[in-house]
Structures are given as C-alpha cells and as structure tokens.
Amino acid sequence: MTILIVGSGAREHALAATLARSDESPSLYCLGTHRNPGIEALCAEPITVGDITDTVAAVRAARDCTADLVCIGPEAPLATGVTDALEDAGFPVVGPRQEPARIETSKSFCRDLLHRVCPEAIPTYFTVTNEKEAAAALERLGDAYVVKADGLAGGKGVKVAGDHLHSREEALAYCREVLADSSRVVIEEKLIGQEFSLLSFTDGYSCLHMPAVQDHKRAYADDRGPNTGGMGSYSDSDGSLPFLGRQDVAVAQRLNERVVRGIRDQTSVPYRGILYGGFMAGVRGPAIVEYNARFGDPEALNLLPLLETDLIEIFRAIVSGTLDRTEARFTPAASVCKYLVPPGYPECGEKGLVLDLPEEWYSPPAGGHTRGTDGETSPGKTSLFLGSAALRDGRLVTEGSRTLAVTGTGENLETAERGAESVIDALRLPLTHRRDIGTRALIDKRIAHMRSIRSNPLRVGVLGSTRGTSVQRLIEEAETFQIPASIEVVITDREHAPILERAARHRIPSHFLDPRTADGTRKPRERYDRDLVEILNRYRVDLVLCVGFMRILSEMFCDAFHERALNVHPSLLPEFAGGTDMDVHAAVIASGRDVTGCTVHYITPEVDAGPILVQSSCAVTPVDTPETLKARVQTLEAAALVEAVERFRALSFSDEGARK
Ligand code: GLY
C-alpha cells in the first residue's frame, strides 16, 4: 500500500505516524511545503517540496510514487481542487472535492447550506456585498457580532466584536478591507458559550464520529493575547468534555450527519474525508460556529494517538463508500496536546533557532507512536509531532510558526496533562507553550462558565426494565435544552428491554446489568446494587430516576443515592403501593374509584413509601380497562417526571446554579 500525504505540518506528521503503525506497513510519501524531519523519517523518499495547491504538481507526485491512495491534510489544496485533479487522474483521495470543500472555503456557502439543513443551529447572519449592507447588518446585530471574510484567510479572516473589533467604525473598516479583495463578507451574531470540535470520518453517506476536543486559540495563558492556529487542545476519556452534557455531543454528531447529507444533496458530490464541526455549546445546546473540510490542527494530534482502528482501513472505507461497514475505535483515554512555539509567535516567530532535540524523539521507534506491546494504543504514552521545524546543516531549527506539539495520554486529564508537561520539561527547548491547557484550574473555569450560562444542568441516570415510555418526554426536553437536565445513562436488568432501543435512538449510553452471575445463579441484591452505583457514579449522575425498574433497591443503594433517587409509581400513593403496572390499574378499576393518577417519590428501603415529590391525578371512567387507564396515567407520568426533575433541581441548586 503506497500512500501520498499532502501537507507537511504537525497534523500531517500525526497522520504519517498513525499510518506507519498500520499492520499493512505502507510506503509513505509526502508532498509538502517544507521538509519536516518527523514526516521524512517515516517516508520512503525525501519529501517532495513544492506548491501543495498546484493540481499538476500533486498529480505528478502521486504518479511518481504510484500512490494507491492520497490523503490531504490542510485546506488550501482542497480549495484549489487538488482532490478533483487527483481523482480525475484515477487516484482515490481522502479529502473532499473542491465543490463540497466549500463548506470550509466559502463562509457564505457554508451559512447558506446550514440555513437550509439546520436553521435552528446557526446564528443570525447576513451575507453582504457592499458597505451600505454591512452597516445595516451591524445595526441589526447591535454589539454582539462577528465579521468573516468569505474565502480562506489562514485563520485570520474572522474578527469578533469585543476581541478584535472595538467599535462599529472598526467593524466597517474591516468590512471595507475585505470587500476590496473579495465580493462578499458574512456578518453574524456572536455566539456565547464554550467552543468544542467534533470531527467525523465520512464517505459522503455514513459518519464515524471521533471524541470531542477543545482547542485553545489564544497565544497566552488564561486565553489572553492574539489568536493563533491553536496552542493546544484536550479530549476526555468518555469521548465528551468535562463542561458538556451528553446531549451536546449527540446533537453535534447528528448535525455533522445532516450536513454530510446536505452537502451531497446540494452539490451532488459525496463528501469524502474528514468533516470538522466547530460548535459553541450555549444556553440552548450546540450552535455551529464553522465547518472545516479536514482534520483540525491541533485536534488531530489528540485524536490520532488514541485511534485503535487501523487508519488505512478507515481511509479505504472512505474512498470506497463502505464506511457503514467499518468502525472507528478510540482508546477510552484522555489526551492533552500542547504546542511549543518560538519567541515572537504568532506575530513574528523566530526562525533558525537551534533545537537540541535528539532524533529519536521525533523519528521511530521511540518518537514514533503510542502502540503498546499488545498491539493496541494505550494510555500513559506521550507523542511528539514536528510542525514548523526543519534540518539546516544537520541541526533541527525553528521555521517561525508552531514548532512542535507534545501529546500526553492518560486515564484522565490530570495524568495526560502531567505526561505532556514532564516531557516538555525534559526537552528543555528554547520555546514557549501554554502551561494552563488541560489543567484542572482551566477546565474548572470552563465548567463554571457553562454552569453560569446553562444554570448547571442536572445529570440524570435512568433505571428501567421495560419500555420506559414515561421518560420519553424528559429525554426530548433535555435533548432540546428546554430543561437544564441531561440523561447521561440508561441501565436495565433485562437484556432485551425495549428501553435500550429508546436509549440507542437518542444516543444515550446504556448498560445491561445482568442480575445473574456467569453460572446462572442470581446475584445477591447488594452485589448487584454495588455495580449499579459504580456505573451511575462513573457517569457522575446527580439524580436517579426509576421508570418501571422491576427490582427492589437495597439499603446500600438508598444510602448511596439518599434523596437523589426517584421512582414513578402508577397510582396516587399511598393507595395501591407495592403493585406494579397493569395490576395497579386493574386494582384501581376493581376498587370502583373514580380518580387515579401517578406519584413521583423518593426511593427509600421501604417500597413505595418514600416522601412524595410530585403527584398528578386523572379521572377513571366507567368504560376504562386497565389498558386505557395505563395509557392515560402514562401521559401523566411523562409530565410528572419533567416536573419532578425541575423541582429536584430547584431544591438542590441555588439560583446561580451552584449545588446547595
Ligand atoms: N483547530 C483549528 C483548526 O484546525 O482550524
């Protein structure tokens, strides 16, 4: 297998290193803007240095090495149609053609497409072609706006009110500057929240999603200083980020899928490559900041060291349109990536600074990769990727931009961050980096910020043995951010309980916790409940909801979730306590009562006897059967569960969102 990589930065070093650890031992070649020694050490031949946006040069490079596959790293070649030229010459390419790549290369194309595909997820925006229209758009948006140059501007085309633009005059002057070179400017509402990136492999039909990552664009600690290409980033072991709720990731995944479909519908060309969604997690869930048509840099440096599936397998599936038959497995570990940059970066990074970095750090095997002896990637390893660095007279020197990146992986963010820092300390290079990326202090600030704007969403775990119909409304309201709650996990004691399908439909992680041991005997209740508590704690659940969970919970469980576990019962307790489902409705009818209802109560060791939080009633009519009554009560239960979550939250959290 011969693979040509286009691009020669740290992202492409990470791609080369990941491809190099494939079982297929590919022959790697590179067409780049400079001779990156990290990439070159992995290639069969010296890097071909040239204009990577030149379609003729790209086809020549692919022919020269008889490439079986070409992988394009940066956006610039996508913008000039390098993929089109290569594909037309018969080379399979990971990286979209020029037209679908406009999702990144034209801000107005992107916004117009998103407006059709997912209008609810984008800010108010205006595409303007002259100064008068620009002034009108700024007038409409008030003080919270972003001005975006329409085409590619190497990350420097976006200017944000308050950060880069400090008055209407400055904003108009920037619009004038952009309009002098291009026909359009996009002016849009400034989004408030926390940014994150969600990248997906796609063949234009299916998507395989990667863990969420947070990048840090500002040059200096505490998010101060000028914008950069990205000073570092982190990802967490659960595929989410500490300040996100589970549904943020699910919504972002779904948006990427809808956008892939939307691009295909609009351009009639399947998007083959990596789709990078840039999101802002805000009050009402994630909104789309931007789309990129490639791997993020530094995001790739977090994700690729964690990728367990052979990247060649994924690439092959992308180019052959068979991604639905493939998987992308990532080690469930955290990662922290930090870029080291020369003095003066980003304005004028020093060039030619000598780096005393032993070759084994960036060329295989030691500088190579995170593959353990078991053949799997494993946490606790550190990878080093060279970016803007080159060899001059046999010495490694800076080239002015981001020089190299160190990625630590670990069981959690703390160990990953420490791993990265200890390598950086050991290297003692004359470079600077942001020490705060991935640290507890910075992450706590992100969490506090999200809590302040989202009023601290409650993390809910659901236990159920049957369909879980009554929890559907809660799931939907949480998913659309109508209530500050997030369903983090569903657990069942029945292997094929339909509630598992409900969870899968809403991308909620689910667990079947078997009540029997391997030899078929029933687990003692305490032991079962210990496992239950362990799973709920793993998901950092604040509140447990039992919806038709056919088990009596032990004292140990009740202690562990004291005043934090609720059950919904299909009668007006204390009447008809102890009964389940249809039996309760049959008993209500047999009793001749003309009113029934449902109760949400705290779980205590005594069955159906805990303090009542919400009760709701309805009429029993003479023609009712247990089935008709069940349907009526279930509607009540759905509303009662939402109300119970709201009341529980009000009792447990202050107005500012802090736990009482
Ligand atoms: N992480 C920002 C980018 O790759 O564009």
Side-chain angles (χ1 to χ4, degrees), residues 602-619:
Y602 287 95
I603 294 174
T604 55
E606 203 182 332
V607 176
D608 294 339
I612 290 171
L613 188 62
V614 175
Q615 216 160 32
S616 181
S617 59
C618 62

Side-chain angles (χ1 to χ4, degrees), residues 56-230:
V56 176
V59 173
R60 193 184 315 120
R63 285 209 175 111
D64 284 351
C65 69
T66 55
D68 298 307
L69 191 139
V70 182
C71 165
I72 299 183
E75 63 277 21
L78 302 173
T80 57
V82 165
T83 299
D84 308 48
L86 285 163
E87 284 187 348
D88 296 348
F91 296 100
V93 183
V94 174
R97 290 174 78 93
Q98 194 172 28
E99 185 63 12
R102 291 178 74 207
I103 196 74
E104 169 165 10
T105 60
S106 164
K107 302 298 173 217
S108 58
F109 173 91
C110 176
R111 280 301 180 222
D112 292 346
L113 185 132
L114 299 178
H115 184 61
R116 274 189 291 281
V117 172
C118 45
E120 79 290 355
I122 58 168
T124 306
Y125 75 102
F126 303 91
T127 302
V128 303
T129 55
N130 59 52
E131 199 179 329
K132 190 162 164 241
E133 288 172 359
L138 291 167
E139 183 67 34
R140 289 275 297 278
L141 291 172
D143 292 337
Y145 56 82
V146 178
V147 181
K148 293 179 168 178
D150 191 41
L152 285 183
K156 296 185 181 69
V158 177
K159 296 210 187 287
V160 181
D163 293 349
H164 315 96
L165 302 170
H166 300 96
S167 67
R168 190 72 56 87
E169 289 66 40
E170 274 185 36
L172 273 177
Y174 179 57
C175 291
R176 260 196 308 276
E177 185 189 320
V178 176
L179 283 169
D181 294 335
S182 100
S183 56
R184 279 183 297 261
V185 174
V186 173
I187 302 178
E188 62 185 41
E189 178 194 349
K190 179 179 171 181
L191 296 167
I192 307 293
Q194 280 295 321
E195 281 194 57
F196 68 98
S197 316
L198 195 287
L199 283 73
S200 311
F201 294 106
T202 179
D203 58 2
Y205 296 85
S206 310
C207 286
L208 293 177
H209 304 295
M210 306 184 215
V213 186
Q214 189 175 46
D215 184 12
H216 298 69
K217 294 209 167 67
R218 298 302 194 100
Y220 313 134
D222 269 331
D223 296 320
R224 285 178 293 105
N227 269 355
T228 69

Side-chain angles (χ1 to χ4, degrees), residues 344-397:
Y345 178 81
E347 284 90 3
C348 188
E350 206 171 319
K351 291 186 182 176
L353 207 58
V354 175
L355 304 172
D356 190 10
L357 184 69
E359 197 179 330
E360 58 270 23
W361 272 106
Y362 56 86
S363 64
H369 243 280
T370 53
R371 184 154 264 215
T373 47
D374 54 359
E376 293 296 320
T377 52
S378 53
K381 300 282 178 70
T382 307
S383 313
L384 189 150
F385 304 109
L386 284 190
S388 178
L391 285 172
R392 301 258 178 272
D393 304 324
R395 303 171 86 181
L396 191 68
V397 297

